[in-house]
Amino acid sequence: MNDLILLPTSEQAVDVEAALDALATRYKGAGGVGIDLLNMLGAQAGGLLSKLPAKVRDGLQDATVTALGQAMKVAHTSRGVVADQPGWLNSAVSTAMGAAGGFGGLPTALAELPVTTTLLLRVIEGVAAEHGFDPAADSVRFDCVQVFAAAGPLEHDDSADLAFLSARAALSGAAVQAVISRVAPRLAVVLGQKLAAQAVPVLGAVAGAATNYAYTSYYTDIAHVHFGLRKLAIEADCTHEELVEKLRARMQALPVKRA
């Protein structure tokens, strides 16, 4: 089965430069209002992880590996049961989950973590399908997990490290754990920040709702950039590496748009 199931006809000329401009703008603004909301709550990257108990901090990477492994299984199998949902509904469900997870402080936040990870991965798979890719294909499943390698919204980097856009490989057997192990360290930091924001009971419900809203918005945008670039490479018959470099140049040229 081909990864891409929707190909342009000869009459569908691709404006590569315009498409790259749109992708760069989306990447630059990834997260949008969700990031602003986190900033209003004071839930920024600096110092959040240090607020977590040492035992939780030390176990974050193992917990992230477990959460990602579960998410890959559940997100994939759920596609045959529940159809992809519109973005607003995904955000609403994720926000409600974050509020529930933060209401009881750290214990409920820890219990909610794998559920949110699964929802985020399922959202990313939905974006892949929207761009014409088959989420059941091994290489596409790899790409979906790779989206998590982008900086999370609590450490938004306007210099835009695009390295994760360049990596791709077949995903099968033991390679699944290799991919998870590579992505887990960075995602563990992101999820640790989320846990810290939710650690205060009741107040953590507000932070949890805001954090999940921002995460869903951010990874949706990043997935659109990731798979938009993959699709553009096929449609325009360009190398992916060439498009990544052009996107990098646009990212550096765009002004920062932050309230």
Short mmCIF file of all heavy atoms in Angstrom, two decimals, residues 66-136:
data_model
loop_
_atom_site.label_atom_id
_atom_site.label_comp_id
_atom_site.label_asym_id
_atom_site.label_seq_id
_atom_site.Cartn_x
_atom_site.Cartn_y
_atom_site.Cartn_z
N THR A 66 6.86 4.19 28.23
CA THR A 66 5.66 3.37 28.41
C THR A 66 4.45 4.02 27.78
O THR A 66 3.66 3.36 27.08
CB THR A 66 5.40 3.15 29.92
OG1 THR A 66 6.52 2.48 30.50
CG2 THR A 66 4.15 2.31 30.13
N ALA A 67 4.28 5.33 28.00
CA ALA A 67 3.13 6.05 27.46
C ALA A 67 3.14 6.04 25.93
O ALA A 67 2.10 5.85 25.30
CB ALA A 67 3.12 7.50 27.97
N LEU A 68 4.32 6.22 25.34
CA LEU A 68 4.40 6.21 23.88
C LEU A 68 4.10 4.84 23.31
O LEU A 68 3.43 4.71 22.28
CB LEU A 68 5.80 6.66 23.44
CG LEU A 68 6.01 8.14 23.17
CD1 LEU A 68 7.47 8.42 22.83
CD2 LEU A 68 5.10 8.64 22.06
N GLY A 69 4.62 3.79 23.97
CA GLY A 69 4.35 2.43 23.51
C GLY A 69 2.87 2.11 23.54
O GLY A 69 2.31 1.55 22.58
N GLN A 70 2.20 2.48 24.64
CA GLN A 70 0.76 2.28 24.74
C GLN A 70 0.02 3.11 23.72
O GLN A 70 -0.95 2.65 23.09
CB GLN A 70 0.29 2.64 26.16
CG GLN A 70 0.81 1.71 27.24
CD GLN A 70 0.43 2.17 28.64
OE1 GLN A 70 -0.07 3.28 28.84
NE2 GLN A 70 0.66 1.32 29.63
N ALA A 71 0.47 4.35 23.54
CA ALA A 71 -0.20 5.25 22.60
C ALA A 71 -0.15 4.72 21.18
O ALA A 71 -1.14 4.80 20.43
CB ALA A 71 0.43 6.64 22.67
N MET A 72 0.99 4.16 20.79
CA MET A 72 1.12 3.64 19.42
C MET A 72 0.13 2.50 19.18
O MET A 72 -0.46 2.40 18.09
CB MET A 72 2.55 3.16 19.18
CG MET A 72 3.55 4.29 19.03
SD MET A 72 5.15 3.70 18.43
CE MET A 72 4.74 3.27 16.73
N LYS A 73 -0.06 1.64 20.18
CA LYS A 73 -0.99 0.52 20.02
C LYS A 73 -2.44 1.00 20.01
O LYS A 73 -3.23 0.65 19.13
CB LYS A 73 -0.80 -0.49 21.15
CG LYS A 73 0.56 -1.18 21.13
CD LYS A 73 0.72 -2.10 22.34
CE LYS A 73 2.08 -2.76 22.36
NZ LYS A 73 2.28 -3.61 23.56
N VAL A 74 -2.79 1.82 21.00
CA VAL A 74 -4.19 2.24 21.15
C VAL A 74 -4.61 3.18 20.02
O VAL A 74 -5.71 3.04 19.46
CB VAL A 74 -4.41 2.91 22.52
CG1 VAL A 74 -5.84 3.43 22.64
CG2 VAL A 74 -4.12 1.92 23.64
N ALA A 75 -3.75 4.16 19.69
CA ALA A 75 -4.10 5.12 18.64
C ALA A 75 -4.31 4.40 17.32
O ALA A 75 -5.24 4.71 16.56
CB ALA A 75 -3.01 6.17 18.51
N HIS A 76 -3.46 3.42 17.03
CA HIS A 76 -3.56 2.70 15.76
C HIS A 76 -4.83 1.84 15.71
O HIS A 76 -5.58 1.89 14.74
CB HIS A 76 -2.32 1.83 15.57
CG HIS A 76 -2.33 1.04 14.30
ND1 HIS A 76 -2.31 1.63 13.05
CD2 HIS A 76 -2.37 -0.30 14.08
CE1 HIS A 76 -2.34 0.70 12.12
NE2 HIS A 76 -2.37 -0.48 12.71
N THR A 77 -5.09 1.07 16.76
CA THR A 77 -6.25 0.18 16.74
C THR A 77 -7.57 0.96 16.82
O THR A 77 -8.59 0.51 16.30
CB THR A 77 -6.19 -0.82 17.91
OG1 THR A 77 -6.07 -0.11 19.15
CG2 THR A 77 -4.99 -1.75 17.76
N SER A 78 -7.55 2.14 17.44
CA SER A 78 -8.78 2.90 17.60
C SER A 78 -9.30 3.47 16.28
O SER A 78 -10.47 3.84 16.17
CB SER A 78 -8.58 4.05 18.60
OG SER A 78 -7.73 5.05 18.07
N ARG A 79 -8.43 3.53 15.28
CA ARG A 79 -8.84 4.11 14.00
C ARG A 79 -9.95 3.28 13.34
O ARG A 79 -10.75 3.81 12.57
CB ARG A 79 -7.65 4.24 13.05
CG ARG A 79 -6.55 5.15 13.57
CD ARG A 79 -5.54 5.45 12.47
NE ARG A 79 -6.19 6.14 11.35
CZ ARG A 79 -6.45 7.44 11.34
NH1 ARG A 79 -6.11 8.19 12.37
NH2 ARG A 79 -7.04 7.98 10.31
N GLY A 80 -9.98 1.99 13.64
CA GLY A 80 -11.03 1.16 13.08
C GLY A 80 -12.34 1.25 13.83
O GLY A 80 -13.35 0.70 13.40
N VAL A 81 -12.33 1.96 14.96
CA VAL A 81 -13.52 2.07 15.81
C VAL A 81 -14.09 3.48 15.81
O VAL A 81 -15.29 3.69 15.69
CB VAL A 81 -13.20 1.64 17.25
CG1 VAL A 81 -14.44 1.76 18.13
CG2 VAL A 81 -12.64 0.21 17.28
N VAL A 82 -13.19 4.46 15.96
CA VAL A 82 -13.60 5.86 16.05
C VAL A 82 -12.97 6.64 14.91
O VAL A 82 -11.76 6.60 14.71
CB VAL A 82 -13.17 6.49 17.40
CG1 VAL A 82 -13.63 7.94 17.49
CG2 VAL A 82 -13.74 5.67 18.55
N ALA A 83 -13.80 7.37 14.16
CA ALA A 83 -13.30 8.15 13.03
C ALA A 83 -12.52 9.36 13.52
O ALA A 83 -12.65 9.79 14.67
CB ALA A 83 -14.48 8.62 12.16
N ASP A 84 -11.67 9.91 12.65
CA ASP A 84 -10.95 11.14 12.99
C ASP A 84 -11.96 12.25 13.26
O ASP A 84 -12.98 12.38 12.58
CB ASP A 84 -10.03 11.55 11.84
CG ASP A 84 -8.87 10.58 11.66
OD1 ASP A 84 -8.40 10.04 12.67
OD2 ASP A 84 -8.44 10.37 10.50
N GLN A 85 -11.65 13.07 14.26
CA GLN A 85 -12.56 14.14 14.68
C GLN A 85 -12.03 15.49 14.22
O GLN A 85 -10.83 15.67 14.01
CB GLN A 85 -12.70 14.13 16.21
CG GLN A 85 -13.21 12.81 16.77
CD GLN A 85 -14.57 12.42 16.22
OE1 GLN A 85 -15.46 13.26 16.14
NE2 GLN A 85 -14.72 11.16 15.85
N PRO A 86 -12.92 16.49 14.08
CA PRO A 86 -12.46 17.83 13.72
C PRO A 86 -11.57 18.42 14.80
O PRO A 86 -11.65 18.03 15.98
CB PRO A 86 -13.77 18.63 13.57
CG PRO A 86 -14.79 17.85 14.33
CD PRO A 86 -14.39 16.41 14.22
N GLY A 87 -10.73 19.37 14.41
CA GLY A 87 -9.76 19.95 15.32
C GLY A 87 -10.36 20.54 16.58
O GLY A 87 -9.83 20.37 17.68
N TRP A 88 -11.51 21.22 16.44
CA TRP A 88 -12.11 21.87 17.61
C TRP A 88 -12.55 20.85 18.65
O TRP A 88 -12.44 21.07 19.86
CB TRP A 88 -13.30 22.73 17.19
CG TRP A 88 -14.50 21.97 16.67
CD1 TRP A 88 -14.79 21.69 15.38
CD2 TRP A 88 -15.55 21.39 17.46
NE1 TRP A 88 -15.94 20.96 15.29
CE2 TRP A 88 -16.44 20.77 16.54
CE3 TRP A 88 -15.83 21.34 18.82
CZ2 TRP A 88 -17.59 20.10 16.98
CZ3 TRP A 88 -16.97 20.67 19.25
CH2 TRP A 88 -17.83 20.07 18.33
N LEU A 89 -13.01 19.67 18.16
CA LEU A 89 -13.45 18.64 19.09
C LEU A 89 -12.26 17.99 19.78
O LEU A 89 -12.31 17.71 20.99
CB LEU A 89 -14.28 17.59 18.35
CG LEU A 89 -14.89 16.48 19.21
CD1 LEU A 89 -15.76 17.07 20.33
CD2 LEU A 89 -15.73 15.52 18.35
N ASN A 90 -11.19 17.76 19.03
CA ASN A 90 -9.97 17.22 19.65
C ASN A 90 -9.48 18.15 20.75
O ASN A 90 -9.09 17.70 21.84
CB ASN A 90 -8.87 17.06 18.59
CG ASN A 90 -9.14 15.90 17.65
OD1 ASN A 90 -9.71 14.90 18.05
ND2 ASN A 90 -8.70 16.04 16.41
N SER A 91 -9.49 19.46 20.48
CA SER A 91 -9.04 20.43 21.48
C SER A 91 -9.94 20.42 22.71
O SER A 91 -9.48 20.49 23.84
CB SER A 91 -9.00 21.84 20.88
OG SER A 91 -8.01 21.92 19.87
N ALA A 92 -11.25 20.31 22.46
CA ALA A 92 -12.21 20.31 23.57
C ALA A 92 -12.02 19.08 24.46
O ALA A 92 -12.01 19.18 25.70
CB ALA A 92 -13.64 20.36 23.03
N VAL A 93 -11.86 17.91 23.83
CA VAL A 93 -11.67 16.67 24.60
C VAL A 93 -10.36 16.73 25.37
O VAL A 93 -10.29 16.38 26.56
CB VAL A 93 -11.69 15.45 23.66
CG1 VAL A 93 -11.30 14.19 24.41
CG2 VAL A 93 -13.09 15.28 23.06
N SER A 94 -9.30 17.17 24.71
CA SER A 94 -8.00 17.25 25.36
C SER A 94 -8.02 18.23 26.53
O SER A 94 -7.45 17.96 27.60
CB SER A 94 -6.94 17.70 24.33
OG SER A 94 -5.68 17.81 24.94
N THR A 95 -8.70 19.37 26.35
CA THR A 95 -8.79 20.37 27.42
C THR A 95 -9.51 19.79 28.63
O THR A 95 -9.09 19.97 29.78
CB THR A 95 -9.53 21.62 26.92
OG1 THR A 95 -8.80 22.18 25.82
CG2 THR A 95 -9.66 22.67 28.01
N ALA A 96 -10.61 19.07 28.38
CA ALA A 96 -11.36 18.45 29.48
C ALA A 96 -10.52 17.41 30.20
O ALA A 96 -10.55 17.30 31.43
CB ALA A 96 -12.64 17.82 28.94
N MET A 97 -9.74 16.64 29.43
CA MET A 97 -8.87 15.63 30.04
C MET A 97 -7.81 16.28 30.91
O MET A 97 -7.49 15.81 32.00
CB MET A 97 -8.23 14.78 28.94
CG MET A 97 -9.18 13.79 28.29
SD MET A 97 -8.49 13.06 26.77
CE MET A 97 -6.86 12.59 27.32
N GLY A 98 -7.25 17.38 30.43
CA GLY A 98 -6.23 18.08 31.20
C GLY A 98 -6.78 18.64 32.50
O GLY A 98 -6.12 18.59 33.54
N ALA A 99 -8.00 19.16 32.44
CA ALA A 99 -8.64 19.68 33.65
C ALA A 99 -8.88 18.56 34.66
O ALA A 99 -8.61 18.71 35.86
CB ALA A 99 -9.96 20.37 33.29
N ALA A 100 -9.37 17.42 34.16
CA ALA A 100 -9.62 16.28 35.05
C ALA A 100 -8.31 15.77 35.65
O ALA A 100 -8.24 15.44 36.85
CB ALA A 100 -10.33 15.17 34.28
N GLY A 101 -7.27 15.73 34.83
CA GLY A 101 -5.99 15.25 35.32
C GLY A 101 -5.37 16.16 36.36
O GLY A 101 -4.72 15.69 37.30
N GLY A 102 -5.57 17.46 36.22
CA GLY A 102 -4.98 18.40 37.15
C GLY A 102 -5.80 18.64 38.40
O GLY A 102 -5.29 19.20 39.37
N PHE A 103 -7.06 18.23 38.40
CA PHE A 103 -7.94 18.52 39.53
C PHE A 103 -7.44 17.90 40.82
O PHE A 103 -7.53 18.50 41.90
CB PHE A 103 -9.36 18.03 39.24
CG PHE A 103 -10.36 18.48 40.26
CD1 PHE A 103 -10.88 19.76 40.21
CD2 PHE A 103 -10.78 17.64 41.28
CE1 PHE A 103 -11.80 20.20 41.16
CE2 PHE A 103 -11.69 18.05 42.23
CZ PHE A 103 -12.20 19.35 42.17
N GLY A 104 -6.89 16.69 40.74
CA GLY A 104 -6.41 16.01 41.94
C GLY A 104 -4.93 16.15 42.16
O GLY A 104 -4.36 15.43 42.99
N GLY A 105 -4.30 17.06 41.43
CA GLY A 105 -2.87 17.26 41.60
C GLY A 105 -2.04 16.20 40.90
O GLY A 105 -2.47 15.59 39.92
N LEU A 106 -0.85 15.94 41.39
CA LEU A 106 0.10 15.07 40.72
C LEU A 106 -0.40 13.64 40.50
O LEU A 106 -0.18 13.08 39.42
CB LEU A 106 1.42 15.05 41.50
CG LEU A 106 2.62 14.42 40.81
CD1 LEU A 106 2.88 15.07 39.46
CD2 LEU A 106 3.86 14.52 41.70
N PRO A 107 -1.07 12.99 41.47
CA PRO A 107 -1.52 11.61 41.23
C PRO A 107 -2.44 11.47 40.01
O PRO A 107 -2.25 10.57 39.18
CB PRO A 107 -2.25 11.25 42.52
CG PRO A 107 -1.61 12.12 43.56
CD PRO A 107 -1.33 13.41 42.87
N THR A 108 -3.44 12.35 39.91
CA THR A 108 -4.35 12.26 38.76
C THR A 108 -3.68 12.72 37.48
O THR A 108 -3.98 12.23 36.39
CB THR A 108 -5.63 13.08 39.01
OG1 THR A 108 -5.27 14.43 39.34
CG2 THR A 108 -6.47 12.48 40.12
N ALA A 109 -2.74 13.67 37.59
CA ALA A 109 -2.01 14.13 36.41
C ALA A 109 -1.17 12.99 35.83
O ALA A 109 -1.09 12.81 34.61
CB ALA A 109 -1.12 15.32 36.76
N LEU A 110 -0.54 12.20 36.70
CA LEU A 110 0.25 11.05 36.24
C LEU A 110 -0.64 10.01 35.56
O LEU A 110 -0.26 9.42 34.55
CB LEU A 110 0.98 10.42 37.43
CG LEU A 110 2.23 11.15 37.92
CD1 LEU A 110 2.67 10.59 39.27
CD2 LEU A 110 3.35 11.01 36.90
N ALA A 111 -1.84 9.79 36.11
CA ALA A 111 -2.76 8.82 35.52
C ALA A 111 -3.27 9.28 34.17
O ALA A 111 -3.55 8.47 33.27
CB ALA A 111 -3.94 8.59 36.48
N GLU A 112 -3.38 10.59 34.01
CA GLU A 112 -3.91 11.16 32.76
C GLU A 112 -2.87 11.20 31.65
O GLU A 112 -3.20 11.25 30.47
CB GLU A 112 -4.45 12.57 33.05
CG GLU A 112 -4.95 13.35 31.85
CD GLU A 112 -4.01 14.50 31.52
OE1 GLU A 112 -3.29 14.96 32.42
OE2 GLU A 112 -3.99 14.91 30.35
N LEU A 113 -1.59 11.15 32.01
CA LEU A 113 -0.51 11.33 31.05
C LEU A 113 -0.57 10.40 29.84
O LEU A 113 -0.51 10.86 28.70
CB LEU A 113 0.83 11.18 31.78
CG LEU A 113 2.06 11.74 31.08
CD1 LEU A 113 1.95 13.25 30.90
CD2 LEU A 113 3.31 11.41 31.88
N PRO A 114 -0.69 9.06 30.03
CA PRO A 114 -0.74 8.19 28.85
C PRO A 114 -1.98 8.38 28.01
O PRO A 114 -1.95 8.17 26.79
CB PRO A 114 -0.69 6.78 29.46
CG PRO A 114 -1.13 6.94 30.87
CD PRO A 114 -0.68 8.30 31.29
N VAL A 115 -3.08 8.81 28.64
CA VAL A 115 -4.31 9.05 27.88
C VAL A 115 -4.13 10.25 26.96
O VAL A 115 -4.51 10.22 25.78
CB VAL A 115 -5.50 9.27 28.83
CG1 VAL A 115 -6.78 9.45 28.04
CG2 VAL A 115 -5.63 8.11 29.81
N THR A 116 -3.54 11.32 27.48
CA THR A 116 -3.29 12.50 26.67
C THR A 116 -2.30 12.19 25.55
O THR A 116 -2.47 12.65 24.42
CB THR A 116 -2.75 13.65 27.54
OG1 THR A 116 -3.79 14.09 28.41
CG2 THR A 116 -2.29 14.82 26.69
N THR A 117 -1.26 11.41 25.86
CA THR A 117 -0.29 11.04 24.84
C THR A 117 -0.96 10.28 23.70
O THR A 117 -0.67 10.51 22.52
CB THR A 117 0.83 10.17 25.46
OG1 THR A 117 1.42 10.88 26.55
CG2 THR A 117 1.91 9.86 24.44
N THR A 118 -1.88 9.37 24.05
CA THR A 118 -2.60 8.62 23.02
C THR A 118 -3.47 9.54 22.18
O THR A 118 -3.50 9.42 20.94
CB THR A 118 -3.48 7.54 23.69
OG1 THR A 118 -2.66 6.65 24.43
CG2 THR A 118 -4.26 6.76 22.64
N LEU A 119 -4.16 10.47 22.82
CA LEU A 119 -5.00 11.40 22.08
C LEU A 119 -4.16 12.25 21.12
O LEU A 119 -4.53 12.43 19.95
CB LEU A 119 -5.77 12.31 23.04
CG LEU A 119 -6.59 13.43 22.37
CD1 LEU A 119 -7.68 12.84 21.49
CD2 LEU A 119 -7.19 14.36 23.42
N LEU A 120 -3.03 12.74 21.60
CA LEU A 120 -2.17 13.56 20.75
C LEU A 120 -1.67 12.77 19.54
O LEU A 120 -1.66 13.28 18.42
CB LEU A 120 -0.98 14.10 21.56
CG LEU A 120 -1.31 15.14 22.62
CD1 LEU A 120 -0.05 15.48 23.42
CD2 LEU A 120 -1.88 16.41 22.00
N LEU A 121 -1.26 11.51 19.77
CA LEU A 121 -0.79 10.69 18.66
C LEU A 121 -1.92 10.42 17.67
O LEU A 121 -1.71 10.42 16.45
CB LEU A 121 -0.20 9.38 19.18
CG LEU A 121 0.46 8.48 18.13
CD1 LEU A 121 1.54 9.23 17.36
CD2 LEU A 121 1.05 7.24 18.79
N ARG A 122 -3.11 10.21 18.19
CA ARG A 122 -4.26 9.97 17.31
C ARG A 122 -4.56 11.23 16.48
O ARG A 122 -4.90 11.14 15.29
CB ARG A 122 -5.46 9.58 18.17
CG ARG A 122 -6.75 9.37 17.38
CD ARG A 122 -6.60 8.25 16.33
NE ARG A 122 -7.67 8.35 15.36
CZ ARG A 122 -8.86 7.76 15.49
NH1 ARG A 122 -9.12 7.00 16.55
NH2 ARG A 122 -9.77 7.89 14.57
N VAL A 123 -4.42 12.41 17.09
CA VAL A 123 -4.61 13.67 16.36
C VAL A 123 -3.58 13.79 15.25
O VAL A 123 -3.90 14.18 14.12
CB VAL A 123 -4.51 14.87 17.32
CG1 VAL A 123 -4.41 16.19 16.56
CG2 VAL A 123 -5.72 14.91 18.25
N ILE A 124 -2.33 13.44 15.55
CA ILE A 124 -1.26 13.50 14.55
C ILE A 124 -1.54 12.54 13.40
O ILE A 124 -1.35 12.87 12.22
CB ILE A 124 0.10 13.19 15.21
CG1 ILE A 124 0.47 14.31 16.20
CG2 ILE A 124 1.19 13.02 14.16
CD1 ILE A 124 1.63 13.96 17.11
N GLU A 125 -2.03 11.34 13.72
CA GLU A 125 -2.39 10.38 12.68
C GLU A 125 -3.50 10.94 11.79
O GLU A 125 -3.52 10.72 10.57
CB GLU A 125 -2.83 9.05 13.31
CG GLU A 125 -1.70 8.24 13.91
CD GLU A 125 -2.18 6.88 14.39
OE1 GLU A 125 -3.40 6.63 14.38
OE2 GLU A 125 -1.32 6.06 14.79
N GLY A 126 -4.46 11.65 12.41
CA GLY A 126 -5.54 12.24 11.64
C GLY A 126 -5.03 13.28 10.67
O GLY A 126 -5.54 13.39 9.53
N VAL A 127 -4.03 14.06 11.07
CA VAL A 127 -3.44 15.05 10.18
C VAL A 127 -2.73 14.35 9.02
O VAL A 127 -2.82 14.79 7.86
CB VAL A 127 -2.46 15.96 10.94
CG1 VAL A 127 -1.71 16.89 9.97
CG2 VAL A 127 -3.20 16.80 11.98
N ALA A 128 -2.04 13.25 9.31
CA ALA A 128 -1.38 12.48 8.26
C ALA A 128 -2.40 12.02 7.21
O ALA A 128 -2.18 12.16 6.00
CB ALA A 128 -0.65 11.28 8.85
N ALA A 129 -3.52 11.50 7.68
CA ALA A 129 -4.57 11.05 6.77
C ALA A 129 -5.14 12.22 5.98
O ALA A 129 -5.46 12.08 4.78
CB ALA A 129 -5.68 10.35 7.56
N GLU A 130 -5.28 13.36 6.62
CA GLU A 130 -5.81 14.56 5.95
C GLU A 130 -4.93 14.97 4.78
O GLU A 130 -5.41 15.48 3.76
CB GLU A 130 -5.90 15.70 6.96
CG GLU A 130 -6.53 16.97 6.43
CD GLU A 130 -6.64 18.05 7.48
OE1 GLU A 130 -6.65 17.71 8.69
OE2 GLU A 130 -6.69 19.24 7.12
N HIS A 131 -3.62 14.72 4.90
CA HIS A 131 -2.69 15.06 3.82
C HIS A 131 -2.54 13.93 2.80
O HIS A 131 -1.72 14.03 1.89
CB HIS A 131 -1.33 15.42 4.41
CG HIS A 131 -1.28 16.80 5.00
ND1 HIS A 131 -1.03 17.92 4.26
CD2 HIS A 131 -1.51 17.24 6.26
CE1 HIS A 131 -1.07 18.99 5.03
NE2 HIS A 131 -1.36 18.59 6.25
N GLY A 132 -3.33 12.87 2.97
CA GLY A 132 -3.34 11.81 1.98
C GLY A 132 -2.46 10.62 2.30
O GLY A 132 -2.30 9.73 1.47
N PHE A 133 -1.86 10.59 3.51
CA PHE A 133 -1.01 9.48 3.89
C PHE A 133 -1.82 8.41 4.63
O PHE A 133 -2.82 8.71 5.28
CB PHE A 133 0.13 9.97 4.78
CG PHE A 133 1.15 10.80 4.06
CD1 PHE A 133 0.99 12.17 3.94
CD2 PHE A 133 2.27 10.21 3.49
CE1 PHE A 133 1.92 12.95 3.27
CE2 PHE A 133 3.21 10.98 2.81
CZ PHE A 133 3.03 12.35 2.70
N ASP A 134 -1.34 7.19 4.55
CA ASP A 134 -2.00 6.06 5.19
C ASP A 134 -1.39 5.82 6.57
O ASP A 134 -0.25 5.34 6.66
CB ASP A 134 -1.85 4.82 4.31
CG ASP A 134 -2.48 3.58 4.93
OD1 ASP A 134 -3.19 3.72 5.96
OD2 ASP A 134 -2.27 2.48 4.39
N PRO A 135 -2.10 6.13 7.67
CA PRO A 135 -1.56 5.95 9.01
C PRO A 135 -1.22 4.50 9.35
O PRO A 135 -0.53 4.25 10.35
CB PRO A 135 -2.67 6.48 9.93
CG PRO A 135 -3.47 7.39 9.07
CD PRO A 135 -3.43 6.76 7.71
N ALA A 136 -1.70 3.55 8.55
CA ALA A 136 -1.39 2.14 8.81
C ALA A 136 -0.03 1.75 8.25
O ALA A 136 0.52 0.71 8.62
CB ALA A 136 -2.47 1.25 8.20
#
